[in-house]
Amino acid sequence: MDKTPSFSLRIPEGDGVAHKVCDHCGFVAYENPKIVVGSVVRHEGRVLLCRRAIEPRRGFWTIPAGYMELNETPEEGARREAREEAGADLAIERLLAVYSVPRISQVQLIFRAALADPRIEAGVESLEVRLFEWHEIPWNDLAFPSVHWALNHDREAEDGAPPVPFGNPAGDVGDRMPDGRMLATDEF
Amino acid sequence: MDKTPSFSLRIPEGDGVAHKVCDHCGFVAYENPKIVVGSVVRHEGRVLLCRRAIEPRRGFWTIPAGYMELNETPEEGARREAREEAGADLAIERLLAVYSVPRISQVQLIFRAALADPRIEAGVESLEVRLFEWHEIPWNDLAFPSVHWALNHDREAEDGAPPVPFGNPAGDVGDRMPDGRMLATDEF
């Protein structure tokens, strides 16, 4: 290797939109929206949350979720993330929600799940993992708007909402926490 | 530019899995699953199909669908694809199905939609566009397994299936057309 990475925004031949093109060899680094897969996990009425050991939002609480990998299904990805982040073995019930955060070009597929085995354990990306009663959930210390959405939508599903997947709250594109604070980070 | 693109599969520092690394500068070309957004589009009981002008599956019929772009929502992407491929202006009703084809690392979000305006016109990626009565659908000339799935799931929705999104037919990962022929191409 005799160079360091260096890209410029240019319109590749035959394309209509600017993309990152390598200054050395012309390689076009196409970027696509990313898929996050995750779960609201229940066990005996309590819900599983993980305190993040990594940025963004280190120290804040999240549902187990992360980027889908190549050659897996969304359900496999959601189970893998729960295993990695919370040492948890999931029984997935159904698709709870499809959210999109266009600012960061993310689509999130969130499932409802139960623990197939009661054992949980913090993985390397988590400071701690815990099962919360609804009234114990640390609402002011949740990592992302979509964690709020997913917990509340799961509660609506518990209360008998039809099994239609939820989407973003009306008009909400995920730029703010529910208390109004702007949040400009990536998610998960 | 004094080089041509050249990548080797290597494990980048701090990573656990092999990725494509540039031989010149060390840039890591991470690849992620891709999101396809599309629609089963109805107009007066007929369904909109486009005959593909591009590979893969040139000459075969498809629903309007394609890769989601950066900074758009899935619904915006589905409307954009229908505009580009069929000159069609859609009114999206709801999410019909979430399919995954792990062989090609695709997640497909398929909506139910109606034409907001009856005018349609083949775009540059289509040889022709047409509204089909159910009995006229060219089943043996559909482009991909998921086009079969989506048309049949939309029919089930018409017939009163609950508004839960469909997934892949049980055990089906999209490697074969419904008549059993293998299909190893990319989709959309």
Side-chain angles (χ1 to χ4, degrees):
Chain A
M1 261 177 262
D2 55 352
K3 308 270 188 188
T4 53
S6 169
F7 286 83
S8 305
L9 269 181
R10 285 205 297 270
I11 300 176
E13 214 170 313
D15 203 316
V17 185
H19 293 282
K20 287 197 254 178
V21 180
C22 173
D23 296 326
H24 309 308
C25 74
F27 171 77
V28 185
Y30 283 102
E31 286 179 271
N32 297 103
K34 290 203 176 74
I35 306 169
V36 165
V37 285
S39 311
V40 179
V41 184
R42 294 264 178 182
H43 181 68
E44 295 173 351
R46 292 179 295 166
V47 64
L48 173 65
L49 294 177
C50 312
R51 202 154 72 86
R52 294 174 64 84
I54 54 171
E55 295 296 345
R57 304 288 277 163
R58 185 175 197 278
F60 289 81
W61 292 89
T62 180
I63 58 173
Y67 288 116
M68 189 173 161
E69 290 188 357
L70 292 180
N71 301 120
E72 67 183 2
T73 65
E75 290 84 353
E76 288 167 355
R79 280 200 300 268
R80 177 183 49 71
E81 290 291 342
R83 224 165 29 235
E84 290 176 4
E85 298 181 358
D89 182 14
L90 298 193
I92 287 185
E93 183 187 322
R94 67 170 180 86
L95 185 63
L96 173 70
V98 178
Y99 301 131
S100 70
V101 188
R103 166 179 53 85
I104 52 175
S105 299
Q106 266 189 14
V107 171
Q108 302 180 0
L109 302 177
I110 308 296
F111 295 90
R112 297 195 78 193
L115 284 182
D117 179 307
R119 285 172 296 188
I120 56 173
E121 182 185 19
V124 291
E125 294 179 9
S126 304
L127 296 170
E128 56 179 314
V129 294
R130 218 186 111 183
L131 291 161
F132 289 88
E133 300 286 348
W134 182 258
H135 68 270
E136 298 173 326
I137 291 174
W139 295 103
N140 293 324
D141 294 316
L142 297 183
F144 309 114
S146 54
V147 176
H148 275 265
W149 304 346
L151 292 173
N152 281 295
H153 284 153
D154 185 70
R155 174 71 172 232
E156 289 182 44
E158 285 279 301
D159 289 347
V164 179
F166 291 91
N168 292 27
D172 194 337
V173 291
D175 289 345
R176 292 175 183 275
M177 298 300 286
D179 65 4
R181 282 172 297 166
M182 284 289 292
L183 185 76
T185 66
D186 202 359
E187 296 197 12
F188 299 104
Chain B
M1 262 177 261
D2 55 350
K3 308 271 189 188
T4 53
S6 169
F7 287 83
S8 305
L9 269 181
R10 285 206 296 271
I11 299 177
E13 213 170 315
D15 202 318
V17 185
H19 293 282
K20 287 198 256 177
V21 180
C22 174
D23 297 327
H24 309 308
C25 73
F27 171 78
V28 185
Y30 284 102
E31 286 179 271
N32 298 102
K34 289 204 177 75
I35 306 168
V36 165
V37 284
S39 311
V40 179
V41 183
R42 295 264 179 183
H43 181 68
E44 294 173 352
R46 292 179 296 166
V47 63
L48 174 65
L49 295 177
C50 312
R51 202 153 74 84
R52 294 173 64 84
I54 54 171
E55 294 297 347
R57 304 288 276 163
R58 186 176 196 277
F60 289 81
W61 291 89
T62 180
I63 58 173
Y67 288 117
M68 189 173 161
E69 290 188 357
L70 293 180
N71 302 119
E72 68 184 1
T73 66
E75 290 84 353
E76 288 167 354
R79 280 199 299 269
R80 177 184 49 71
E81 290 292 341
R83 222 163 32 233
E84 290 175 5
E85 298 181 358
D89 182 15
L90 298 193
I92 288 185
E93 182 187 321
R94 67 170 181 87
L95 185 63
L96 173 70
V98 178
Y99 301 131
S100 70
V101 188
R103 167 179 51 86
I104 51 174
S105 298
Q106 265 188 14
V107 171
Q108 301 179 0
L109 303 177
I110 309 296
F111 296 90
R112 297 195 78 193
L115 284 182
D117 179 306
R119 286 171 295 188
I120 57 174
E121 181 184 22
V124 291
E125 294 179 9
S126 305
L127 296 170
E128 56 178 314
V129 293
R130 216 186 112 184
L131 291 162
F132 288 88
E133 299 286 348
W134 183 258
H135 69 270
E136 298 173 326
I137 291 174
W139 295 102
N140 292 323
D141 294 315
L142 297 183
F144 310 114
S146 54
V147 176
H148 274 265
W149 304 344
L151 291 173
N152 280 295
H153 284 154
D154 185 71
R155 174 71 171 232
E156 290 182 44
E158 284 279 300
D159 289 348
V164 180
F166 291 91
N168 291 28
D172 193 337
V173 291
D175 289 344
R176 291 174 184 274
M177 297 300 286
D179 65 4
R181 282 173 297 167
M182 285 288 292
L183 185 76
T185 66
D186 202 358
E187 296 198 10
F188 300 104

